[in-house]
């Protein structure tokens, strides 16, 4: 297992170094925030590696009552206080399958964490555990680190993990909002939770002409809060992870998911809404890389 984890880490580093670094110069998060406010960046910008190096800590344990959960942490090298993006895996998956996404987010000045939860669900139970993690961090009982702005936590999840994010938000997780990567659910209670959610949600989906994701429409149709949705042209469900080497994934599409996730996280963390990210998608909607946009 250790060999596999190291191999995944090295593969992720290789991919990261092969992506051109953005021309944006920033030495700290306020520098980056100023540039974001001055100019409207495009998704093409966020597909590039951000201006910061990334420091990584693997298998950090967080003790909850009861039990222990583990996570990999990715700190932006500026060392300053910054929002935290928590990424939750889907069915049969692991935190390692979101390594590149977390590194990419951290290269853009936010801190990131990939969280390991039971990968067979139940996903409502995982949502409650996720809410406990957020509460423990917010209260300084876990990850007590001056670099983390515990008042600005963003939740992201893939597939059934996205349903856990939606339920955690509905149950009052202290987070700014949720980013759902091709969300799925088979649990009948999820629409009820979605109707109670008050936090903004941005859905980044696979191409529905390529992948039929189980009950993905629930997340737009039942949510009562502000919801944005867009799909990545030609992407399959597994492209919403990175690294993933199964299911005929395409690295370029995985990078598009990582860029869109990063744009969404930066937008919510630095501007308080997903509007900035939505505007960043405009060029990709025009050239067809992103399709089927809708907002309510």
């Amino acid at each position: 297992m250790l060999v596999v984890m190291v191999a995944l880490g090295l593969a992720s580093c290789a991919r990261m170094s092969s992506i051109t670094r953005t021309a944006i110069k920033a030495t700290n998060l306020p520098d980056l925030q100023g540039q974001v406010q001055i100019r409207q960046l495009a998704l093409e910008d966020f597909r590039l590696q951000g201006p910061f190096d990334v420091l990584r800590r693997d298998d950090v344990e967080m003790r909850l009552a009861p039990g222990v959960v583990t996570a990999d942490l990715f700190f932006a090298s500026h060392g300053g206080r910054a929002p935290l993006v928590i990424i939750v895996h889907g069915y049969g998956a692991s935190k390692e399958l979101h390594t590149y996404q977390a590194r990419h987010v951290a290269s853009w000045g936010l801190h990131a964490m990939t969280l390991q939860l039971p990968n067979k669900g139940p996903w409502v139970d995982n949502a409650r555990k996720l809410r406990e993690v957020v509460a423990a961090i917010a209260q300084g009982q876990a990850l007590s680190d001056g670099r983390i702005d515990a008042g600005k936590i963003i939740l992201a999840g893939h597939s059934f993990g996205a349903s856990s994010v939606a339920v955690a938000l509905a149950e009052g997780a202290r987070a700014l909002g949720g980013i759902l990567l091709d969300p799925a659910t088979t649990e009948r209670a999820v629409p009820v939770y979605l109707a109670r959610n008050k936090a903004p949600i941005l859905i980044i989906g696979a191409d529905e002409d390529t992948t039929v994701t189980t009950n993905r429409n629930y997340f737009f149709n039942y949510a009562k809060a502000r919801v944005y949705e867009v799909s990545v042209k030609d992407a399959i469900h597994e492209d919403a992870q990175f690294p993933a080497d199964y299911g005929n994934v395409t690295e370029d599409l995985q990078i598009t998911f990582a860029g869109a996730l990063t744009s969404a996280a930066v937008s919510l963390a630095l501007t308080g809404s997903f509007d900035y990210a939505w505007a960043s998608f405009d060029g990709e909607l025009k050239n067809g890389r992103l399709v089927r946009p809708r907002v309510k």
Side-chain angles (χ1 to χ4, degrees), residues 8-262:
L8 284 172
L10 291 175
S12 176
C13 291
R15 289 188 179 102
M16 197 74 175
S17 62
S18 69
I19 304 297
T20 304
R21 189 184 289 271
T22 179
I24 292 172
K25 303 297 182 183
T27 59
N28 53 49
L29 190 60
D31 279 351
L32 181 64
Q33 184 168 11
Q35 294 187 57
V36 166
Q37 291 172 337
I38 289 170
R39 55 185 288 204
Q40 175 62 63
L41 300 179
L43 176 56
E44 192 61 34
D45 295 309
F46 287 108
R47 279 170 49 88
L48 302 175
Q49 183 181 350
F52 301 104
D53 292 328
V54 178
L55 310 175
R56 178 175 172 179
R57 291 174 56 198
D58 286 351
D59 296 320
V60 175
E61 292 188 348
M62 291 178 287
R63 298 191 177 276
L64 305 176
V68 176
V69 297
T70 60
D72 296 339
L73 294 172
F74 302 79
F75 289 102
S77 62
H78 57 67
R81 200 161 182 254
L84 176 69
V85 179
I86 300 175
I87 305 175
V88 181
H89 60 80
Y91 179 86
S94 68
K95 58 184 171 58
E96 284 77 27
L97 286 175
H98 295 278
T99 294
Y100 177 91
Q101 292 174 345
R103 286 181 57 86
H104 201 73
V105 166
S107 79
W108 278 90
L110 309 182
H111 304 315
M113 178 174 84
T114 56
L115 183 64
Q116 186 67 50
L117 294 175
N119 67 5
K120 300 292 192 297
W123 301 96
V124 169
D125 289 352
N126 280 358
R128 292 173 181 140
K129 192 171 292 292
L130 175 59
R131 185 187 60 183
E132 291 174 15
V133 168
V134 173
I137 295 172
Q139 295 164 11
Q141 298 170 352
L143 301 185
S144 184
D145 190 305
R147 291 173 290 184
I148 294 174
D149 185 345
K152 290 187 175 181
I153 293 175
I154 295 168
L155 303 182
H158 173 241
S159 191
F160 290 142
S163 69
S164 293
V165 166
V167 172
L169 291 172
E171 291 210 311
R174 296 167 63 177
L176 298 178
I179 305 167
L180 310 185
L181 305 173
D182 206 36
T185 186
T186 56
E187 298 185 58
R188 293 182 179 181
V190 168
V192 177
Y193 285 106
L194 285 165
R196 289 172 16 202
N197 174 48
K198 297 179 181 178
I201 288 173
L202 193 151
I203 300 167
I204 308 166
D207 190 336
E208 292 172 314
D209 288 338
T210 305
T211 292
V212 178
T213 304
T214 305
N215 295 322
R216 172 180 149 185
N217 61 307
Y218 283 7
F219 296 87
F220 188 90
N221 293 341
Y222 288 103
K224 299 301 182 185
R226 183 76 162 166
V227 184
Y228 307 72
E229 182 176 36
V230 70
S231 298
V232 179
K233 178 68 174 174
D234 296 329
I236 62 173
H237 186 64
E238 290 77 15
D239 282 317
Q241 304 167 111
F242 198 11
D245 56 2
Y246 58 91
N248 297 317
V249 294
T250 303
E251 183 169 301
D252 182 67
L253 299 176
Q254 290 177 303
I255 292 171
T256 297
F257 268 102
L261 166 64
T262 301

